[in-house]
Amino acid sequence: MTSNATVLLLAKSNVEPALKAEDVLVAVREAFTLHSLRAGRVFPVVREKLHTGGVFGIKSGDVASQDLLGFKAAGFWPGNREKGGEPHQATIVLIDPSTGRPLCFMDGNAVTTARTGAAGGLGLAQLARKNSTRLCLFGSGVQARVQLRYALRILPALSEIRYVSASNEPDANFEAEFSGKCQLSLARDRDAAVAASDVIITATPGGGPLFSADAVQPGTHVTCVGADTAGKRELPAGVLDRARIVADDAAQARSIGECQWAPELPVVEMGDLFTGRATFERGMQDITVFDMTGLALQDLTVGRFLYEQAKEKNDGTVVAWPW
């Protein structure tokens, strides 16, 4: 019996086409809900800098009622750009909680991108003003693009997008992707773009403050994506003190997110808004911040539906994995 055991491999070519936005939104919302109800566990995060210049991390967890167990090994290797590769690398592993045997290895890059974009979109739906029309986006890479795609989906009134690129020069590929979907232009003056925006999304490597604190106007919503490691930040000092803060996980945000810079401030967890354990009524003058550090449960709920879907469609590669 054990000699017939197998494991399913899902490569990028299997994963990317299966990540439909509506399915990812449902799975990520479920992860938030499980976390709020403590029906799913999030284990301590590993996030360490390497001698190679990269950052390596592990996010893991389980949902006992669903026999769902697994982890994502991921990180950031900036040197990959010189090799023509993607700096973010991730692999998700689903494990049988009864035996410890691996069920599936899947490419985690596309999963990370999609579930983070969906989480940002759900945050906008909960926290941003519904009539928001102007957005300032920091970044024009993979994560910036998915955040903008979900933002345009969630906030249909958005029409004017200002973006800041890493080079401070126009990004032709980025602009081409969103041509005809919104009015898109490069922000030459960061603070002016921030001050004129209803929504700010920061999706950079988290190398330091991106704008002046006093540029953020009352009523603005800020989604923070890039701070996911001790020492990283995108917000300047003073913004969190003025804001109502929501995080995917409060303890994690205070450890590796923007909240590490102001751990004494009160934080509401996003999942509690979905389950009703917390309430949130936005005042028109409120500044809101969604501090996103990423939940292992998001990787697991998205990974689970990809695994089950692949089995139904006989997709992927089955490999012998005897005991």
Side-chain angles (χ1 to χ4, degrees):
M1 179 183 70
T2 57
S3 62
N4 295 326
T6 61
V7 65
L8 180 64
L9 305 183
L10 297 179
K12 177 181 179 180
S13 58
N14 307 118
V15 171
E16 282 191 336
L19 287 167
K20 307 302 183 186
E22 56 271 20
D23 295 329
V24 180
L25 284 165
V26 169
V28 172
R29 180 172 179 132
E30 180 189 4
F32 280 131
T33 299
L34 288 168
H35 188 51
S36 173
L37 299 176
R38 300 303 184 251
R41 293 189 297 172
V42 174
F43 304 148
V45 173
V46 173
R47 193 76 176 173
E48 299 292 341
K49 295 180 180 179
L50 303 178
H51 69 285
T52 59
V55 177
F56 175 71
I58 296 176
K59 291 181 177 177
S60 57
D62 73 347
V63 183
S65 64
Q66 300 178 7
D67 283 334
L68 181 59
L69 171 68
F71 66 88
K72 180 176 73 177
F76 186 76
W77 284 265
N80 285 2
R81 290 194 181 97
E82 299 174 1
K83 303 173 184 177
E86 167 59 42
H88 291 92
Q89 290 297 315
T91 302
I92 294 172
V93 182
L94 300 181
I95 297 171
D96 181 350
S98 299
T99 65
R101 298 280 299 169
L103 300 172
C104 181
F105 293 88
M106 71 179 69
D107 181 280
N109 283 11
V111 173
T112 300
T113 298
R115 63 85 156 151
T116 308
L122 291 169
L124 290 176
Q126 289 291 314
L127 305 176
R129 286 179 287 149
K130 302 299 183 282
N131 62 348
S132 296
T133 60
R134 295 171 296 183
L135 183 150
C136 181
L137 176 64
F138 285 84
S140 60
V142 172
Q143 190 52 233
R145 296 179 188 209
V146 74
Q147 289 293 331
L148 182 52
R149 287 198 294 271
Y150 275 97
L152 293 171
R153 180 189 184 97
I154 298 295
L155 298 175
L158 283 179
S159 58
E160 183 179 342
I161 314 298
R162 302 279 184 87
Y163 75 99
V164 178
S165 67
S167 65
N168 291 316
E169 296 296 330
D171 186 325
N173 291 331
F174 176 70
E175 293 186 6
E177 180 172 337
F178 293 96
S179 176
K181 300 176 183 177
C182 57
Q183 180 185 339
L184 186 66
S185 61
L186 181 71
R188 296 290 185 182
D189 185 326
R190 299 180 176 202
D191 285 353
V194 166
S197 296
D198 305 305
V199 175
I200 302 164
I201 299 177
T202 59
T204 75
L210 298 171
F211 48 84
S212 300
D214 57 6
V216 181
Q217 300 301 303
T220 304
H221 170 71
V222 187
T223 296
C224 304
V225 182
D228 59 1
T229 305
K232 281 190 175 185
R233 72 184 309 171
E234 294 176 304
L235 297 185
V239 172
L240 292 180
D241 306 80
R242 299 166 56 203
R244 300 178 66 184
I245 307 168
V246 177
D248 40 21
D249 182 277
Q252 192 169 285
R254 291 182 175 116
S255 175
I256 61 176
E258 289 293 341
C259 288
Q260 68 183 283
W261 304 102
E264 74 285 354
L265 295 177
V267 176
V268 174
E269 292 193 349
M270 180 61 70
D272 289 344
L273 301 184
F274 292 132
T275 62
R277 290 191 167 192
T279 58
F280 192 96
E281 293 187 12
R282 164 182 257 289
M284 291 301 292
Q285 298 299 303
D286 286 341
I287 295 172
T288 54
V289 170
F290 185 22
D291 190 1
M292 294 171 46
T293 53
L295 287 176
L297 292 175
Q298 296 167 351
D299 299 310
L300 296 185
T301 54
V302 174
R304 179 197 58 207
F305 93 69
L306 291 173
Y307 172 59
E308 293 175 348
Q309 188 177 92
K311 288 195 299 179
E312 290 175 4
K313 296 182 177 181
N314 292 317
D315 197 14
T317 303
V318 177
V319 176
W321 201 271
W323 288 50

